[in-house]
Amino acid sequence: MTNNLAGRTAVVTGASSGIGAATAALLAARGARVALLARREERLTGLVQEIKRAGGEAIAVAADVAGSASVATAVRRVLGVFGGVDLVVNNAGIMLPAPAEQADLADWERQIDVNVTGALRVVHALTPSLLRAAATGPADLINISSIASHVPFPSFAAYTASKAAVTHLSTTLRAELGGRGVRVTAVEPGVVATELQGHVTDPAANEWLDGLIGSIEVLTAQDVAEVIAFTAARPAHVNLSRITLYPTRQT
């Protein structure tokens, strides 16, 4: 088996940092053409330059998955440049924990809009391209979920609900699209050292996260990127449908 992704064309959302940035760089290093999508265009531009200096091919596309028009415009640009897409890494997300009685309803709504509806916007826009690609070769939809999809974390109610939705969305889309050649995967990491915690304002949640990150060796964005690249590089008849990865000492 090989990890070579030459000839593949990928879209990675949330690509300005963390898992998205690491994944985009690794897919490009393995031979894929990559479209990096995120809100922070200046970050994307810098990452594209790094990829090109390393010999890869990539474009930066400013997009906000919280807006349907933004996603549609971004996808039109990607298809205009690359012609088609056969690998989608649906990674954009946000985490805003707080105790239920103190939570800001707008924060709950934002997590659902970005993590769930945002994922749906991307799926809706790119499924036709994936189906076309599946007629002649591998096609992958890889949705980044979390162990929070099935593990309860107090104060993380909306976030865990959003990730449960992403995992179940992936399971159902696999049932619908797998028979037509599109592989669908839910990747569920445990604690990863990324900028995601930077969104957290609740003191108790930050204290818990800081304590966990300081007490064990947590996953890196590169660890998760390696799993994503490995999944996409399997032979077209092999679908790793649900992958859960923990830091070894996270129990």
Side-chain angles (χ1 to χ4, degrees):
M1 292 186 180
T2 178
N3 284 325
N4 182 24
L5 295 171
R8 302 292 299 273
T9 302
V11 167
V12 180
T13 69
S16 61
S17 65
I19 292 170
T23 298
L26 184 59
L27 297 180
R30 300 274 170 88
R33 304 184 299 177
V34 185
L36 287 70
L37 273 61
R39 293 176 300 158
R40 295 179 290 180
E41 188 171 13
E42 70 286 353
R43 292 285 296 270
L44 296 179
T45 300
L47 289 166
V48 165
Q49 291 172 348
E50 292 177 15
I51 288 170
K52 288 182 175 179
R53 282 196 295 268
E57 183 177 356
I59 61 171
V61 183
D64 184 354
V65 299
S68 297
S70 181
V71 171
T73 298
V75 168
R76 281 196 298 271
R77 181 173 174 220
V78 172
L79 296 181
V81 174
F82 288 151
V85 169
D86 58 44
L87 171 54
V88 176
V89 181
N90 215 352
N91 167 72
I94 191 167
M95 181 175 71
L96 302 169
E101 74 278 11
Q102 299 172 15
D104 185 333
L105 180 59
D107 285 348
W108 278 7
E109 292 173 337
R110 187 178 176 200
Q111 288 172 95
I112 297 302
D113 192 40
V114 173
N115 299 355
V116 182
T117 312
L120 288 169
R121 292 181 180 111
V122 173
V123 169
H124 185 266
L126 285 168
T127 293
S129 187
L130 289 174
L131 286 168
R132 288 192 293 272
T136 57
D140 290 278
L141 170 61
I142 300 176
N143 295 318
I144 307 306
S145 182
S146 167
I147 62 167
S149 66
H150 54 90
V151 177
F153 291 99
S155 297
F156 287 73
Y159 179 76
T160 58
S162 73
K163 291 305 183 178
V166 170
T167 289
H168 197 63
L169 169 68
S170 303
T171 301
T172 304
L173 285 173
R174 185 189 176 281
E176 179 177 348
L177 301 176
R180 301 165 73 184
V182 177
R183 305 183 293 195
V184 182
T185 303
V187 176
E188 301 175 334
V191 175
V192 185
T194 71
E195 289 185 7
L196 193 63
Q197 189 187 347
H199 304 150
V200 179
T201 59
D202 180 68
N206 267 318
E207 182 179 1
W208 175 75
L209 286 165
D210 288 341
L212 181 60
I213 292 169
S215 64
I216 65 171
E217 185 177 1
V218 299
L219 299 172
T220 67
Q222 187 67 28
D223 293 329
V224 183
E226 290 282 357
V227 169
I228 293 167
F230 177 86
T231 299
R234 296 312 89 207
H237 69 285
V238 178
N239 183 184
L240 303 177
S241 62
R242 183 174 176 179
I243 305 169
T244 302
L245 59 154
Y246 278 89
T248 299
R249 295 187 182 275
Q250 183 183 359
T251 58

